[in-house]
Amino acid sequence: MTWTIHTPGSTQWTVLSLRGELDLYAVDELRRPVLTAIAAHGPWLAVDLTAVNFIDTTGLGMLVRLLNKLREKNGDLALIGPRGQVKRILQWTNLNRLFPVFDSAAAIPEPARN
């Protein structure tokens, strides 16, 4: 698993781009960098899954925990471009209804300001 974290342009969203497999090993490696990014950039996180070819229950659990954590902070978690096995697992578990899913980072609308 490799990843990059960036904030594109003048958006409130931070994009976490993942590549490889989102499994037990990857989740353990990602925990600290993701929490650091949220603390530094705010509670609006988009996870780019276009280059993720496998997700297991640990990866799904991480996404759900992140979603809950971000929503507690009045933020949200969006998913970008799930494909193949990842898309099927999200559909089979009905988690695709829990997360806003977009084709690209550019398609994510800015959050409403309170």
Side-chain angles (χ1 to χ4, degrees), residues 23-91:
D23 57 11
L24 176 66
Y25 178 73
V27 167
D28 190 47
E29 280 191 25
L30 283 170
R31 186 171 288 116
R32 182 165 296 175
V34 169
L35 294 177
T36 301
I38 292 167
H41 301 289
W44 298 93
L45 181 67
V47 180
D48 186 341
L49 298 170
T50 56
V52 174
N53 55 26
F54 175 82
I55 191 168
D56 68 5
T57 56
T58 309
L60 292 173
M62 179 194 87
L63 294 175
V64 171
R65 283 188 306 279
L66 273 173
L67 176 68
N68 291 331
K69 180 182 220 40
L70 294 168
R71 287 187 176 168
E72 286 174 1
K73 297 178 181 220
N74 297 314
D76 207 353
L77 178 84
L79 302 180
I80 301 169
R83 301 181 192 331
Q85 185 264 358
V86 176
K87 184 176 182 178
R88 286 191 306 276
I89 293 295
L90 289 168
Q91 290 170 337

Short mmCIF file of all heavy atoms in Angstrom, two decimals, residues 23-91:
data_model
loop_
_atom_site.label_atom_id
_atom_site.label_comp_id
_atom_site.label_asym_id
_atom_site.label_seq_id
_atom_site.Cartn_x
_atom_site.Cartn_y
_atom_site.Cartn_z
N ASP A 23 -5.96 -3.41 3.46
CA ASP A 23 -6.16 -4.58 4.31
C ASP A 23 -5.60 -4.30 5.70
O ASP A 23 -5.23 -3.17 6.02
CB ASP A 23 -5.52 -5.82 3.69
CG ASP A 23 -4.03 -5.64 3.40
OD1 ASP A 23 -3.42 -4.64 3.87
OD2 ASP A 23 -3.46 -6.50 2.70
N LEU A 24 -5.53 -5.33 6.53
CA LEU A 24 -5.07 -5.19 7.91
C LEU A 24 -3.72 -4.49 7.98
O LEU A 24 -3.53 -3.57 8.78
CB LEU A 24 -4.99 -6.58 8.56
CG LEU A 24 -4.44 -6.64 9.98
CD1 LEU A 24 -5.37 -5.92 10.93
CD2 LEU A 24 -4.24 -8.09 10.41
N TYR A 25 -2.79 -4.89 7.17
CA TYR A 25 -1.45 -4.30 7.18
C TYR A 25 -1.50 -2.82 6.81
O TYR A 25 -0.90 -1.96 7.46
CB TYR A 25 -0.53 -5.06 6.22
CG TYR A 25 0.85 -4.48 6.13
CD1 TYR A 25 1.76 -4.63 7.17
CD2 TYR A 25 1.25 -3.75 5.02
CE1 TYR A 25 3.03 -4.08 7.11
CE2 TYR A 25 2.51 -3.20 4.94
CZ TYR A 25 3.39 -3.37 5.98
OH TYR A 25 4.64 -2.81 5.92
N ALA A 26 -2.22 -2.49 5.74
CA ALA A 26 -2.30 -1.11 5.28
C ALA A 26 -2.99 -0.21 6.30
O ALA A 26 -2.56 0.92 6.54
CB ALA A 26 -3.04 -1.05 3.94
N VAL A 27 -4.07 -0.71 6.90
CA VAL A 27 -4.81 0.08 7.90
C VAL A 27 -3.89 0.45 9.05
O VAL A 27 -3.90 1.59 9.53
CB VAL A 27 -6.06 -0.68 8.37
CG1 VAL A 27 -6.65 -0.04 9.62
CG2 VAL A 27 -7.10 -0.74 7.26
N ASP A 28 -3.08 -0.49 9.50
CA ASP A 28 -2.15 -0.22 10.60
C ASP A 28 -1.15 0.87 10.21
O ASP A 28 -0.86 1.76 11.01
CB ASP A 28 -1.43 -1.51 10.99
CG ASP A 28 -0.65 -1.36 12.27
OD1 ASP A 28 -1.22 -0.82 13.25
OD2 ASP A 28 0.52 -1.76 12.30
N GLU A 29 -0.67 0.85 8.97
CA GLU A 29 0.27 1.86 8.49
C GLU A 29 -0.37 3.23 8.29
O GLU A 29 0.27 4.25 8.43
CB GLU A 29 0.90 1.43 7.17
CG GLU A 29 2.01 0.44 7.31
CD GLU A 29 2.76 0.25 6.01
OE1 GLU A 29 2.75 1.17 5.16
OE2 GLU A 29 3.35 -0.81 5.83
N LEU A 30 -1.64 3.24 7.92
CA LEU A 30 -2.32 4.49 7.58
C LEU A 30 -2.85 5.26 8.79
O LEU A 30 -3.08 6.46 8.69
CB LEU A 30 -3.51 4.20 6.65
CG LEU A 30 -3.19 3.92 5.21
CD1 LEU A 30 -4.42 3.41 4.49
CD2 LEU A 30 -2.65 5.16 4.54
N ARG A 31 -3.06 4.58 9.88
CA ARG A 31 -3.73 5.20 11.02
C ARG A 31 -3.13 6.54 11.41
O ARG A 31 -3.82 7.55 11.45
CB ARG A 31 -3.71 4.23 12.21
CG ARG A 31 -4.49 4.72 13.40
CD ARG A 31 -4.63 3.64 14.47
NE ARG A 31 -5.56 2.61 14.01
CZ ARG A 31 -5.23 1.34 13.78
NH1 ARG A 31 -4.00 0.93 13.98
NH2 ARG A 31 -6.12 0.48 13.37
N ARG A 32 -1.86 6.58 11.68
CA ARG A 32 -1.21 7.82 12.15
C ARG A 32 -1.21 8.92 11.08
O ARG A 32 -1.59 10.05 11.38
CB ARG A 32 0.19 7.54 12.65
CG ARG A 32 0.86 8.81 13.19
CD ARG A 32 2.06 8.52 13.97
NE ARG A 32 1.61 7.77 15.14
CZ ARG A 32 2.40 7.25 16.05
NH1 ARG A 32 3.68 7.39 15.94
NH2 ARG A 32 1.93 6.59 17.07
N PRO A 33 -0.80 8.64 9.83
CA PRO A 33 -0.81 9.71 8.83
C PRO A 33 -2.20 10.30 8.57
O PRO A 33 -2.34 11.50 8.37
CB PRO A 33 -0.26 9.04 7.56
CG PRO A 33 0.41 7.80 8.01
CD PRO A 33 -0.19 7.41 9.30
N VAL A 34 -3.22 9.46 8.59
CA VAL A 34 -4.57 9.96 8.35
C VAL A 34 -5.03 10.86 9.50
O VAL A 34 -5.57 11.94 9.27
CB VAL A 34 -5.56 8.79 8.13
CG1 VAL A 34 -6.99 9.27 8.15
CG2 VAL A 34 -5.25 8.09 6.82
N LEU A 35 -4.80 10.43 10.73
CA LEU A 35 -5.19 11.26 11.87
C LEU A 35 -4.41 12.57 11.90
O LEU A 35 -4.97 13.62 12.23
CB LEU A 35 -5.02 10.48 13.17
CG LEU A 35 -5.94 9.27 13.33
CD1 LEU A 35 -5.63 8.53 14.63
CD2 LEU A 35 -7.40 9.67 13.27
N THR A 36 -3.16 12.53 11.51
CA THR A 36 -2.35 13.75 11.43
C THR A 36 -2.90 14.69 10.36
O THR A 36 -3.00 15.90 10.58
CB THR A 36 -0.88 13.40 11.13
OG1 THR A 36 -0.39 12.56 12.17
CG2 THR A 36 -0.02 14.65 11.01
N ALA A 37 -3.29 14.14 9.21
CA ALA A 37 -3.85 14.97 8.13
C ALA A 37 -5.16 15.61 8.56
O ALA A 37 -5.40 16.79 8.28
CB ALA A 37 -4.06 14.13 6.87
N ILE A 38 -6.00 14.88 9.26
CA ILE A 38 -7.27 15.42 9.73
C ILE A 38 -7.03 16.54 10.73
O ILE A 38 -7.66 17.59 10.66
CB ILE A 38 -8.15 14.31 10.34
CG1 ILE A 38 -8.60 13.35 9.24
CG2 ILE A 38 -9.34 14.90 11.08
CD1 ILE A 38 -9.21 12.06 9.76
N ALA A 39 -6.08 16.33 11.63
CA ALA A 39 -5.77 17.37 12.62
C ALA A 39 -5.21 18.62 11.94
O ALA A 39 -5.52 19.74 12.35
CB ALA A 39 -4.77 16.83 13.64
N ALA A 40 -4.43 18.45 10.89
CA ALA A 40 -3.80 19.58 10.22
C ALA A 40 -4.73 20.30 9.24
O ALA A 40 -4.65 21.52 9.10
CB ALA A 40 -2.54 19.12 9.48
N HIS A 41 -5.61 19.54 8.57
CA HIS A 41 -6.38 20.13 7.46
C HIS A 41 -7.88 20.20 7.70
O HIS A 41 -8.59 20.79 6.90
CB HIS A 41 -6.12 19.35 6.18
CG HIS A 41 -4.68 19.31 5.78
ND1 HIS A 41 -4.01 20.42 5.31
CD2 HIS A 41 -3.77 18.32 5.82
CE1 HIS A 41 -2.76 20.10 5.07
NE2 HIS A 41 -2.59 18.84 5.36
N GLY A 42 -8.38 19.57 8.74
CA GLY A 42 -9.81 19.64 9.02
C GLY A 42 -10.55 18.35 8.72
O GLY A 42 -9.98 17.39 8.21
N PRO A 43 -11.85 18.35 9.03
CA PRO A 43 -12.63 17.11 9.02
C PRO A 43 -13.30 16.76 7.68
O PRO A 43 -14.32 16.09 7.66
CB PRO A 43 -13.69 17.38 10.08
CG PRO A 43 -13.96 18.84 9.95
CD PRO A 43 -12.61 19.45 9.62
N TRP A 44 -12.75 17.22 6.56
CA TRP A 44 -13.32 16.90 5.25
C TRP A 44 -12.29 16.07 4.49
O TRP A 44 -11.30 16.61 3.99
CB TRP A 44 -13.67 18.18 4.49
CG TRP A 44 -14.71 18.97 5.21
CD1 TRP A 44 -14.50 19.97 6.11
CD2 TRP A 44 -16.11 18.77 5.16
NE1 TRP A 44 -15.70 20.42 6.60
CE2 TRP A 44 -16.71 19.69 6.03
CE3 TRP A 44 -16.94 17.90 4.45
CZ2 TRP A 44 -18.08 19.77 6.22
CZ3 TRP A 44 -18.31 17.97 4.63
CH2 TRP A 44 -18.87 18.90 5.51
N LEU A 45 -12.53 14.77 4.43
CA LEU A 45 -11.56 13.84 3.83
C LEU A 45 -12.19 13.08 2.68
O LEU A 45 -13.29 12.53 2.81
CB LEU A 45 -11.05 12.85 4.89
CG LEU A 45 -10.03 11.83 4.44
CD1 LEU A 45 -8.71 12.52 4.07
CD2 LEU A 45 -9.79 10.79 5.53
N ALA A 46 -11.50 13.04 1.55
CA ALA A 46 -11.91 12.23 0.41
C ALA A 46 -10.85 11.16 0.20
O ALA A 46 -9.65 11.47 0.14
CB ALA A 46 -12.04 13.09 -0.85
N VAL A 47 -11.27 9.91 0.14
CA VAL A 47 -10.35 8.80 -0.06
C VAL A 47 -10.45 8.35 -1.51
O VAL A 47 -11.50 7.88 -1.95
CB VAL A 47 -10.65 7.64 0.91
CG1 VAL A 47 -9.67 6.49 0.68
CG2 VAL A 47 -10.58 8.11 2.36
N ASP A 48 -9.36 8.53 -2.24
CA ASP A 48 -9.31 8.16 -3.65
C ASP A 48 -8.96 6.67 -3.74
O ASP A 48 -7.85 6.26 -3.43
CB ASP A 48 -8.28 9.00 -4.38
CG ASP A 48 -8.28 8.78 -5.88
OD1 ASP A 48 -8.80 7.73 -6.34
OD2 ASP A 48 -7.74 9.63 -6.60
N LEU A 49 -9.94 5.88 -4.18
CA LEU A 49 -9.79 4.42 -4.26
C LEU A 49 -9.56 3.93 -5.69
O LEU A 49 -9.59 2.72 -5.93
CB LEU A 49 -11.05 3.75 -3.69
CG LEU A 49 -11.36 4.04 -2.22
CD1 LEU A 49 -12.74 3.52 -1.85
CD2 LEU A 49 -10.30 3.43 -1.32
N THR A 50 -9.32 4.83 -6.63
CA THR A 50 -9.21 4.41 -8.03
C THR A 50 -8.08 3.40 -8.25
O THR A 50 -8.17 2.58 -9.16
CB THR A 50 -9.02 5.61 -8.98
OG1 THR A 50 -7.89 6.36 -8.56
CG2 THR A 50 -10.25 6.50 -8.99
N ALA A 51 -7.02 3.45 -7.45
CA ALA A 51 -5.89 2.53 -7.63
C ALA A 51 -5.85 1.44 -6.56
O ALA A 51 -4.84 0.77 -6.40
CB ALA A 51 -4.59 3.32 -7.64
N VAL A 52 -6.96 1.27 -5.82
CA VAL A 52 -7.04 0.20 -4.82
C VAL A 52 -7.71 -1.00 -5.49
O VAL A 52 -8.81 -0.89 -6.02
CB VAL A 52 -7.83 0.64 -3.57
CG1 VAL A 52 -8.04 -0.51 -2.62
CG2 VAL A 52 -7.10 1.78 -2.87
N ASN A 53 -7.02 -2.14 -5.48
CA ASN A 53 -7.55 -3.32 -6.16
C ASN A 53 -8.13 -4.36 -5.21
O ASN A 53 -8.67 -5.37 -5.66
CB ASN A 53 -6.49 -3.96 -7.05
CG ASN A 53 -5.22 -4.28 -6.29
OD1 ASN A 53 -5.24 -4.50 -5.09
ND2 ASN A 53 -4.11 -4.31 -6.99
N PHE A 54 -8.03 -4.13 -3.89
CA PHE A 54 -8.56 -5.08 -2.92
C PHE A 54 -8.84 -4.35 -1.61
O PHE A 54 -8.07 -3.51 -1.18
CB PHE A 54 -7.55 -6.21 -2.66
CG PHE A 54 -7.98 -7.16 -1.58
CD1 PHE A 54 -8.86 -8.20 -1.87
CD2 PHE A 54 -7.52 -7.03 -0.28
CE1 PHE A 54 -9.27 -9.08 -0.88
CE2 PHE A 54 -7.93 -7.90 0.71
CZ PHE A 54 -8.81 -8.92 0.41
N ILE A 55 -9.98 -4.70 -0.99
CA ILE A 55 -10.30 -4.20 0.33
C ILE A 55 -10.86 -5.36 1.14
O ILE A 55 -11.60 -6.19 0.61
CB ILE A 55 -11.29 -3.01 0.27
CG1 ILE A 55 -11.42 -2.31 1.62
CG2 ILE A 55 -12.64 -3.46 -0.26
CD1 ILE A 55 -12.15 -0.98 1.57
N ASP A 56 -10.48 -5.44 2.41
CA ASP A 56 -11.04 -6.48 3.29
C ASP A 56 -11.86 -5.82 4.38
O ASP A 56 -12.08 -4.60 4.37
CB ASP A 56 -9.95 -7.40 3.84
CG ASP A 56 -9.00 -6.73 4.83
OD1 ASP A 56 -9.21 -5.55 5.19
OD2 ASP A 56 -8.03 -7.39 5.26
N THR A 57 -12.35 -6.61 5.32
CA THR A 57 -13.21 -6.07 6.37
C THR A 57 -12.48 -5.07 7.25
O THR A 57 -13.10 -4.14 7.76
CB THR A 57 -13.79 -7.19 7.25
OG1 THR A 57 -12.72 -7.98 7.80
CG2 THR A 57 -14.72 -8.09 6.44
N THR A 58 -11.18 -5.21 7.40
CA THR A 58 -10.41 -4.24 8.18
C THR A 58 -10.40 -2.89 7.48
O THR A 58 -10.56 -1.85 8.11
CB THR A 58 -8.97 -4.74 8.40
OG1 THR A 58 -9.01 -6.07 8.91
CG2 THR A 58 -8.24 -3.85 9.38
N GLY A 59 -10.23 -2.90 6.16
CA GLY A 59 -10.27 -1.66 5.39
C GLY A 59 -11.63 -1.01 5.43
O GLY A 59 -11.75 0.21 5.60
N LEU A 60 -12.70 -1.83 5.30
CA LEU A 60 -14.06 -1.29 5.42
C LEU A 60 -14.28 -0.68 6.80
O LEU A 60 -14.86 0.39 6.93
CB LEU A 60 -15.09 -2.39 5.16
CG LEU A 60 -15.17 -2.93 3.75
CD1 LEU A 60 -16.12 -4.12 3.70
CD2 LEU A 60 -15.60 -1.86 2.77
N GLY A 61 -13.82 -1.39 7.82
CA GLY A 61 -13.97 -0.89 9.19
C GLY A 61 -13.27 0.43 9.39
O GLY A 61 -13.78 1.34 10.05
N MET A 62 -12.07 0.59 8.80
CA MET A 62 -11.35 1.85 8.91
C MET A 62 -12.15 2.98 8.28
O MET A 62 -12.26 4.07 8.85
CB MET A 62 -9.99 1.76 8.22
CG MET A 62 -9.20 3.06 8.29
SD MET A 62 -7.79 3.13 7.18
CE MET A 62 -8.58 3.76 5.69
N LEU A 63 -12.74 2.74 7.11
CA LEU A 63 -13.53 3.77 6.44
C LEU A 63 -14.74 4.18 7.28
O LEU A 63 -15.03 5.36 7.42
CB LEU A 63 -13.96 3.30 5.06
CG LEU A 63 -12.85 3.09 4.03
CD1 LEU A 63 -13.42 2.50 2.74
CD2 LEU A 63 -12.10 4.38 3.77
N VAL A 64 -15.42 3.20 7.86
CA VAL A 64 -16.60 3.50 8.70
C VAL A 64 -16.18 4.26 9.95
O VAL A 64 -16.83 5.25 10.33
CB VAL A 64 -17.37 2.21 9.05
CG1 VAL A 64 -18.46 2.48 10.08
CG2 VAL A 64 -17.96 1.58 7.79
N ARG A 65 -15.10 3.85 10.59
CA ARG A 65 -14.62 4.57 11.79
C ARG A 65 -14.23 6.00 11.45
O ARG A 65 -14.54 6.94 12.18
CB ARG A 65 -13.45 3.83 12.43
CG ARG A 65 -13.86 2.61 13.23
CD ARG A 65 -12.71 2.02 14.02
NE ARG A 65 -11.54 1.70 13.22
CZ ARG A 65 -11.39 0.60 12.48
NH1 ARG A 65 -12.35 -0.30 12.45
NH2 ARG A 65 -10.29 0.39 11.80
N LEU A 66 -13.55 6.18 10.31
CA LEU A 66 -13.18 7.53 9.88
C LEU A 66 -14.41 8.38 9.61
O LEU A 66 -14.47 9.54 10.00
CB LEU A 66 -12.33 7.47 8.60
CG LEU A 66 -10.85 7.31 8.77
CD1 LEU A 66 -10.19 7.10 7.40
CD2 LEU A 66 -10.23 8.49 9.47
N LEU A 67 -15.39 7.80 8.94
CA LEU A 67 -16.63 8.52 8.66
C LEU A 67 -17.27 9.01 9.95
O LEU A 67 -17.65 10.18 10.07
CB LEU A 67 -17.60 7.62 7.89
CG LEU A 67 -18.97 8.21 7.60
CD1 LEU A 67 -18.87 9.35 6.61
CD2 LEU A 67 -19.91 7.13 7.10
N ASN A 68 -17.39 8.12 10.93
CA ASN A 68 -18.00 8.50 12.21
C ASN A 68 -17.20 9.59 12.90
O ASN A 68 -17.76 10.55 13.43
CB ASN A 68 -18.16 7.28 13.11
CG ASN A 68 -19.20 6.33 12.59
OD1 ASN A 68 -20.16 6.72 11.94
ND2 ASN A 68 -19.03 5.05 12.88
N LYS A 69 -15.87 9.45 12.91
CA LYS A 69 -15.00 10.44 13.55
C LYS A 69 -15.15 11.81 12.88
O LYS A 69 -15.26 12.84 13.56
CB LYS A 69 -13.55 9.97 13.48
CG LYS A 69 -12.54 10.90 14.10
CD LYS A 69 -11.17 10.31 13.91
CE LYS A 69 -10.25 10.44 15.07
NZ LYS A 69 -10.70 10.26 16.40
N LEU A 70 -15.18 11.84 11.55
CA LEU A 70 -15.29 13.10 10.82
C LEU A 70 -16.66 13.74 10.99
O LEU A 70 -16.76 14.96 11.14
CB LEU A 70 -14.97 12.88 9.35
CG LEU A 70 -13.52 12.47 9.06
CD1 LEU A 70 -13.37 12.00 7.64
CD2 LEU A 70 -12.57 13.60 9.38
N ARG A 71 -17.70 12.94 10.99
CA ARG A 71 -19.05 13.49 11.17
C ARG A 71 -19.24 14.03 12.58
O ARG A 71 -19.97 14.99 12.78
CB ARG A 71 -20.11 12.46 10.81
CG ARG A 71 -20.18 12.28 9.29
CD ARG A 71 -21.30 11.40 8.85
NE ARG A 71 -21.35 11.34 7.38
CZ ARG A 71 -22.08 10.49 6.71
NH1 ARG A 71 -22.86 9.62 7.36
NH2 ARG A 71 -22.07 10.49 5.40
N GLU A 72 -18.57 13.43 13.57
CA GLU A 72 -18.61 13.98 14.94
C GLU A 72 -17.99 15.37 14.98
O GLU A 72 -18.33 16.18 15.83
CB GLU A 72 -17.85 13.06 15.90
CG GLU A 72 -18.57 11.79 16.25
CD GLU A 72 -17.72 10.84 17.08
OE1 GLU A 72 -16.55 11.17 17.40
OE2 GLU A 72 -18.22 9.75 17.39
N LYS A 73 -17.08 15.64 14.05
CA LYS A 73 -16.41 16.95 13.97
C LYS A 73 -17.06 17.84 12.92
O LYS A 73 -16.44 18.77 12.43
CB LYS A 73 -14.93 16.75 13.64
CG LYS A 73 -14.18 16.00 14.70
CD LYS A 73 -12.74 15.80 14.29
CE LYS A 73 -12.03 15.01 15.37
NZ LYS A 73 -10.68 15.49 15.62
N ASN A 74 -18.32 17.51 12.54
CA ASN A 74 -19.07 18.25 11.53
C ASN A 74 -18.40 18.22 10.16
O ASN A 74 -18.51 19.18 9.39
CB ASN A 74 -19.34 19.69 11.97
CG ASN A 74 -20.20 19.72 13.20
OD1 ASN A 74 -21.21 19.02 13.27
ND2 ASN A 74 -19.80 20.50 14.19
N GLY A 75 -17.71 17.15 9.85
CA GLY A 75 -17.09 16.95 8.55
C GLY A 75 -17.74 15.78 7.83
O GLY A 75 -18.87 15.39 8.15
N ASP A 76 -17.01 15.21 6.89
CA ASP A 76 -17.54 14.07 6.14
C ASP A 76 -16.39 13.32 5.48
O ASP A 76 -15.27 13.82 5.40
CB ASP A 76 -18.53 14.53 5.07
CG ASP A 76 -19.57 13.46 4.73
OD1 ASP A 76 -19.46 12.32 5.22
OD2 ASP A 76 -20.50 13.79 3.98
N LEU A 77 -16.70 12.13 5.02
CA LEU A 77 -15.76 11.30 4.28
C LEU A 77 -16.41 10.93 2.95
O LEU A 77 -17.52 10.40 2.93
CB LEU A 77 -15.43 10.02 5.05
CG LEU A 77 -14.49 9.07 4.33
CD1 LEU A 77 -13.05 9.50 4.58
CD2 LEU A 77 -14.68 7.65 4.79
N ALA A 78 -15.74 11.26 1.87
CA ALA A 78 -16.22 10.91 0.53
C ALA A 78 -15.27 9.88 -0.07
O ALA A 78 -14.08 9.85 0.26
CB ALA A 78 -16.27 12.14 -0.36
N LEU A 79 -15.81 9.03 -0.94
CA LEU A 79 -14.99 8.06 -1.65
C LEU A 79 -14.92 8.46 -3.11
O LEU A 79 -15.91 8.89 -3.70
CB LEU A 79 -15.59 6.66 -1.52
CG LEU A 79 -15.78 6.15 -0.09
CD1 LEU A 79 -16.39 4.74 -0.12
CD2 LEU A 79 -14.49 6.17 0.69
N ILE A 80 -13.74 8.29 -3.69
CA ILE A 80 -13.53 8.63 -5.09
C ILE A 80 -13.20 7.35 -5.87
O ILE A 80 -12.28 6.63 -5.51
CB ILE A 80 -12.37 9.63 -5.26
CG1 ILE A 80 -12.66 10.92 -4.48
CG2 ILE A 80 -12.11 9.93 -6.72
CD1 ILE A 80 -11.47 11.86 -4.39
N GLY A 81 -13.98 7.11 -6.91
CA GLY A 81 -13.68 6.10 -7.92
C GLY A 81 -13.46 4.67 -7.51
O GLY A 81 -12.57 4.03 -8.08
N PRO A 82 -14.25 4.11 -6.58
CA PRO A 82 -14.04 2.68 -6.30
C PRO A 82 -14.34 1.85 -7.55
O PRO A 82 -15.28 2.13 -8.27
CB PRO A 82 -15.03 2.38 -5.17
CG PRO A 82 -16.05 3.46 -5.25
CD PRO A 82 -15.38 4.66 -5.83
N ARG A 83 -13.50 0.85 -7.80
CA ARG A 83 -13.63 0.01 -8.99
C ARG A 83 -13.50 -1.47 -8.60
O ARG A 83 -13.02 -1.80 -7.53
CB ARG A 83 -12.53 0.33 -10.00
CG ARG A 83 -12.52 1.75 -10.48
CD ARG A 83 -11.42 1.99 -11.49
NE ARG A 83 -11.05 3.30 -11.90
CZ ARG A 83 -11.76 4.39 -11.97
NH1 ARG A 83 -12.97 4.40 -11.57
NH2 ARG A 83 -11.28 5.54 -12.40
N GLY A 84 -13.89 -2.34 -9.51
CA GLY A 84 -13.66 -3.78 -9.36
C GLY A 84 -14.14 -4.34 -8.04
O GLY A 84 -15.28 -4.11 -7.62
N GLN A 85 -13.27 -5.09 -7.37
CA GLN A 85 -13.60 -5.76 -6.11
C GLN A 85 -14.02 -4.77 -5.04
O GLN A 85 -14.94 -5.03 -4.26
CB GLN A 85 -12.40 -6.60 -5.64
CG GLN A 85 -12.66 -7.43 -4.41
CD GLN A 85 -12.22 -6.78 -3.09
OE1 GLN A 85 -11.66 -5.68 -3.06
NE2 GLN A 85 -12.49 -7.47 -2.00
N VAL A 86 -13.38 -3.62 -5.00
CA VAL A 86 -13.70 -2.61 -3.98
C VAL A 86 -15.14 -2.11 -4.18
O VAL A 86 -15.92 -2.04 -3.22
CB VAL A 86 -12.70 -1.43 -4.05
CG1 VAL A 86 -13.09 -0.34 -3.07
CG2 VAL A 86 -11.28 -1.93 -3.79
N LYS A 87 -15.51 -1.82 -5.40
CA LYS A 87 -16.87 -1.36 -5.69
C LYS A 87 -17.89 -2.44 -5.36
O LYS A 87 -18.94 -2.16 -4.77
CB LYS A 87 -16.97 -0.96 -7.17
CG LYS A 87 -18.32 -0.39 -7.55
CD LYS A 87 -18.32 0.06 -8.99
CE LYS A 87 -19.65 0.69 -9.36
NZ LYS A 87 -19.65 1.18 -10.75
N ARG A 88 -17.59 -3.69 -5.72
CA ARG A 88 -18.51 -4.79 -5.42
C ARG A 88 -18.71 -4.98 -3.92
O ARG A 88 -19.84 -5.15 -3.45
CB ARG A 88 -18.01 -6.09 -6.05
CG ARG A 88 -18.20 -6.14 -7.55
CD ARG A 88 -17.94 -7.53 -8.11
NE ARG A 88 -16.65 -8.08 -7.76
CZ ARG A 88 -15.50 -7.84 -8.41
NH1 ARG A 88 -15.50 -7.05 -9.46
NH2 ARG A 88 -14.38 -8.40 -8.02
N ILE A 89 -17.64 -4.91 -3.15
CA ILE A 89 -17.74 -5.07 -1.69
C ILE A 89 -18.56 -3.94 -1.09
O ILE A 89 -19.40 -4.16 -0.22
CB ILE A 89 -16.34 -5.16 -1.04
CG1 ILE A 89 -15.64 -6.44 -1.46
CG2 ILE A 89 -16.42 -5.04 0.47
CD1 ILE A 89 -16.29 -7.72 -0.98
N LEU A 90 -18.34 -2.71 -1.54
CA LEU A 90 -19.13 -1.58 -1.05
C LEU A 90 -20.62 -1.78 -1.37
O LEU A 90 -21.48 -1.47 -0.54
CB LEU A 90 -18.62 -0.27 -1.63
CG LEU A 90 -17.27 0.21 -1.10
CD1 LEU A 90 -16.75 1.35 -1.96
CD2 LEU A 90 -17.36 0.62 0.35
N GLN A 91 -20.92 -2.30 -2.54
CA GLN A 91 -22.31 -2.55 -2.92
C GLN A 91 -22.90 -3.71 -2.13
O GLN A 91 -24.03 -3.61 -1.63
CB GLN A 91 -22.41 -2.83 -4.42
CG GLN A 91 -22.14 -1.61 -5.27
CD GLN A 91 -22.01 -1.92 -6.74
OE1 GLN A 91 -21.70 -3.04 -7.15
NE2 GLN A 91 -22.24 -0.91 -7.57
#
